[in-house]
Amino acid sequence: MVNKRWTAVAAGILLIIFAGVLAALFPNIMEILINREVSIREGGRAYGWWKEPPVVPHMNIYIYNVTNADEFLNNGDKPILQELGPYVYLQKWDKTNIKFNDNGTVSYNVRKRFEFSEELSSGSEDDLVVVPNVPMLSATSQSRHAARFLRLAMASIMDILKIKPFVEVSVGQLLWGYEDPLLKLAKDVVPKEQKLPYDQFGLLYGKNGTHPDQYTIFTGASDISKYGMMDRWNGKDGFKHWTTDECDNVLGGDGSIFPPHINKDSKLKVFDKDLCRTLPLVFKEEVMAEGDVPGYRFVPPKDVFAAADRISSQSCYCPAGPPCAPEGTFNVSRCQYDSPVLLSFPHFYLADPTLREAVIGISPPNEEKHQFFIDVQPLMGTTLRARARIQINLAVSQVRDIKQVASFPDIVFPIMWFEDGVDGLPSHVTSLLKMAVDVPPIARAALSGALAAAGAIVLLGALLCLARAAKHQEKLHLSTPLPPGASKQGNINPGFQGSMK
Ligand SMILES: *[C@@H]1O[C@H](CO)[C@@H](O)[C@H](O)[C@H]1NC(C)=O
Ligand SMILES: *[C@@H]1O[C@H](CO)[C@@H](O)[C@H](O)[C@H]1NC(C)=O
Ligand SMILES: *[C@@H]1O[C@H](CO)[C@@H](O)[C@H](O)[C@H]1NC(C)=O
Ligand SMILES: *[C@@H]1O[C@H](CO)[C@@H](O)[C@H](O)[C@H]1NC(C)=O
């Protein structure tokens, strides 16, 4: 009998110790579970969401309509811009041609479908806008280093084709493409290897549908610290545009998932094909996303588009050497068929204020409206809310030999800006995320609490029984006559010791 009670005491103590160990190891156990849960595996829960994100991303587009094109060209007035929009497109994203590789990566193509939303937009796709003629001004700006006779030849061709520095097109055409006489000509005459891939010009041309780019990302199965990060882009590990590996490499997430276990010191990276680089993101503040899921807001650091002459580490993005892009702009000419395109944040947020003051009609930038941000759920690395905000500008160079553009001064001309956003995950996802955040501490407390309580009860019960047994034995001993000199205590103790052997 006594023997069993001692076993119970031991079991109770063991249970309490086990509860303590479980409480201590719980975070590690959770980490292993989370890593397993998020990694991209066929049949895994995350796989379905990754393949076909259960969100409706919207793209809000704002176009700068030029209202004084003639006065700008003829009198040298500052351009007056009218910000039109938003023109809203609802999107559906999914991944096709998915192929798992042996080395913990998966390759795929991205398919995006855009649907114009009449009710969310303030304006129609048929609105007529006046914007700089991007193909023409790209060609003239590029020609400034060419031989003079080429520029003169260009001028006569543009005369014959009646090409003007501003075009009036519908919003739909500007975005999705219109036939451009210059591109058409270029397509027919330029040698095959320098050929532009199309004869249409549109700011989002070719983006509706399956994109030919092949992405290869890490699934997280072998190394969770690279989960969702780009391994290869079209088979290459770099953009092959920038001068250092650090600036050139494609290792960044697609913006929807990041390696889990993010903290406030983490540096996230987003691969952005249109930006031709990865965009670093740093912690800004704690936020509460839809469905009461707490998240961290990550934003690009303030000097992300700093001028190379201010921050020397930026010079890797200026391979042609000084002069480099002005403060707050990023030169993507190399990956836009040498068009002089400079990207910035909307309203020239964080950029040299003189850029904004060179035109009339762009209000001062506002962090709330114009900052690029991503809110992530830090434990799982899932994006809860995002606004990828970028403005497209054309860096026009004055070329006096070409009479059509002779009066078009050197200027960074804003064309449009857009925000690609995800506002909230569907409630079945947020409730799961919320559970992932809330449940572990509760589960940890509950599980180790229950174990400890069970241990305590067993221990207490055993001790009580032992105490009662001791009393019982004491009574037994009392009822038998004591040998002289032996204390009560002395008689009990041998009994106990005996039972312990
Ligand atoms: C854009 O500006 C032009 C004047 O340059 C004007 O005729 C046109 O109505 C404007 N477009 C819209 C949609 O307001
Ligand atoms: C993984 O395999 C794919 C396909 O074979 C290959 O393109 C990629 O370079 C490999 N990545 C690494 C890190 O070895
Ligand atoms: C995109 O393509 C789909 C069909 O594939 C079409 O229904 C839709 O209208 C297109 N969107 C735009 C903006 O052209
Ligand atoms: C942008 O980059 C291209 C090619 O690297 C270069 O020729 C051009 O001068 C640059 N533009 C600016 C404004 O820095």
Side-chain angles (χ1 to χ4, degrees):
M1 267 313 261
V2 178
N3 218 332
K4 270 195 192 139
R5 285 171 196 139
W6 278 106
T7 316
V9 171
I13 291 172
L14 271 178
L15 274 174
I16 291 175
I17 292 174
F18 188 61
V21 171
L22 188 76
L25 287 184
F26 199 79
N28 299 15
I29 298 170
M30 272 318 291
E31 190 170 322
I32 292 165
L33 287 180
I34 286 178
N35 292 355
R36 213 188 121 64
E37 188 69 12
V38 297
S39 71
I40 302 163
R41 292 171 289 128
E42 244 164 324
R45 195 196 327 250
Y47 179 73
W49 293 346
W50 171 78
K51 180 172 186 289
E52 222 166 295
V55 292
V56 181
H58 44 251
M59 186 179 247
N60 296 351
I61 293 168
Y62 298 84
I63 292 167
Y64 294 118
N65 187 25
V66 184
T67 58
N68 67 338
D70 291 336
E71 293 84 346
F72 167 70
L73 285 176
N74 303 334
N75 313 344
D77 289 3
K78 273 191 191 182
I80 300 177
L81 307 181
Q82 174 193 20
E83 185 182 55
L84 296 176
Y87 298 94
V88 181
Y89 289 88
L90 299 179
Q91 302 169 62
K92 174 115 194 62
W93 294 348
D94 61 2
K95 301 184 171 72
T96 61
N97 304 327
I98 297 171
K99 205 172 104 258
F100 282 88
N101 306 314
D102 298 334
N103 53 13
T105 62
V106 57
S107 303
Y108 60 89
N109 293 93
V110 174
R111 180 165 55 190
K112 290 188 177 179
R113 269 156 296 175
F114 291 79
E115 252 356 295
F116 185 68
S117 167
E118 200 88 50
E119 58 267 39
L120 295 178
S121 303
S122 68
S124 120
E125 268 188 315
D126 301 326
D127 286 354
L128 289 179
V129 293
V130 177
V131 289
N133 185 339
V134 177
M136 175 203 204
L137 292 165
S138 298
T140 59
S141 297
Q142 275 173 49
S143 77
R144 74 190 191 282
H145 299 306
R148 180 154 190 267
F149 78 88
L150 267 177
R151 287 198 292 276
L152 296 178
M154 217 170 191
S156 23
I157 291 172
M158 287 175 177
D159 225 12
I160 295 164
L161 295 175
K162 298 193 171 42
I163 297 174
K164 303 222 163 56
F166 285 94
V167 289
E168 186 174 47
V169 288
S170 74
V171 169
Q173 285 176 313
L174 177 66
L175 298 177
W176 303 106
Y178 58 91
E179 199 164 284
D180 181 81
L182 208 57
L183 290 182
K184 194 160 159 37
L185 181 75
K187 199 171 179 218
D188 296 339
V189 300
V190 165
K192 209 170 173 189
E193 52 282 3
Q194 290 170 24
K195 231 175 215 171
L196 293 171
Y198 24 76
D199 57 5
Q200 299 232 329
F201 173 77
L203 295 165
L204 299 176
Y205 182 78
K207 292 218 192 294
N208 189 25
T210 306
H211 204 272
D213 280 357
Q214 192 196 42
Y215 296 88
T216 301
I217 65 164
F218 291 99
T219 61
S222 52
D223 179 1
I224 199 71
S225 72
K226 286 188 176 168
Y227 164 65
M229 305 280 272
M230 191 81 56
D231 173 28
R232 301 279 153 141
W233 173 57
N234 291 325
K236 298 179 294 184
D237 59 0
F239 289 95
K240 309 296 176 202
H241 291 310
W242 315 124
T243 57
T244 63
D245 285 344
E246 162 90 11
C247 296
D248 198 60
N249 102 42
V250 294
L251 193 70
D254 69 352
S256 64
I257 48 176
F258 294 96
H261 319 299
I262 293 168
N263 58 49
K264 294 178 183 176
D265 297 320
S266 300
K267 196 168 181 185
L268 307 184
K269 277 191 164 175
V270 180
F271 169 91
D272 192 328
K273 173 182 121 50
D274 296 316
L275 206 55
C276 298
R277 61 174 281 185
T278 56
L279 195 67
L281 301 174
V282 294
F283 175 80
K284 184 183 175 216
E285 60 197 358
E286 290 183 22
V287 291
M288 194 57 91
E290 235 167 86
D292 284 338
V293 187
Y296 287 176
R297 174 158 300 180
F298 276 77
V299 299
K302 293 241 182 300
D303 57 6
V304 66
F305 294 154
D309 52 14
R310 191 167 74 79
I311 293 188
S312 60
S313 61
Q314 293 287 84
S315 55
C316 61
Y317 294 118
C318 182
C324 299
E327 179 76 20
T329 65
F330 189 75
N331 187 345
V332 291
S333 151
R334 288 200 158 204
C335 48
Q336 296 293 334
Y337 309 100
D338 291 329
S339 303
V341 178
L342 294 185
L343 299 183
S344 67
F345 293 119
H347 288 216
F348 292 110
Y349 176 63
L350 298 182
D352 184 343
T354 58
L355 295 174
R356 188 175 62 81
E357 286 154 11
V359 299
I360 294 170
I362 299 188
S363 63
N366 171 316
E367 192 174 275
E368 197 64 34
K369 287 188 197 150
H370 303 127
Q371 186 174 47
F372 186 121
F373 71 81
I374 292 184
D375 294 345
V376 295
Q377 200 282 315
L379 213 54
M380 317 271 276
T382 312
T383 292
L384 301 167
R385 196 170 121 93
R387 287 283 181 282
R389 292 165 165 158
I390 294 289
Q391 176 168 302
I392 300 177
N393 314 287
L394 195 67
V396 181
S397 305
Q398 187 161 26
V399 181
R400 295 190 189 276
D401 294 337
I402 300 178
K403 64 173 189 288
Q404 291 89 340
V405 296
S407 58
F408 208 119
D410 283 344
I411 185 173
V412 174
F413 210 109
I415 310 278
M416 70 122 155
W417 69 273
F418 64 87
E419 53 181 6
D420 213 355
V422 172
D423 245 334
L425 301 170
S427 56
H428 69 274
V429 181
T430 49
S431 55
L432 212 83
L433 282 176
K434 197 165 155 50
M435 218 159 75
V437 183
D438 293 348
V439 168
I442 298 173
R444 173 188 186 175
L447 208 61
S448 45
L451 279 176
I457 290 168
V458 172
L459 193 64
L460 214 74
L463 287 175
L464 270 174
C465 287
L466 279 172
R468 209 177 297 151
K471 252 195 189 142
H472 190 63
Q473 216 163 29
E474 198 173 336
K475 275 189 196 142
L476 282 179
H477 281 293
L478 277 176
S479 58
T480 53
L482 284 171
S487 73
K488 293 180 217 167
Q489 211 65 32
N491 271 332
I492 297 165
N493 282 343
F496 267 92
Q497 275 151 14
S499 74
M500 278 178 86
K501 278 173 197 152

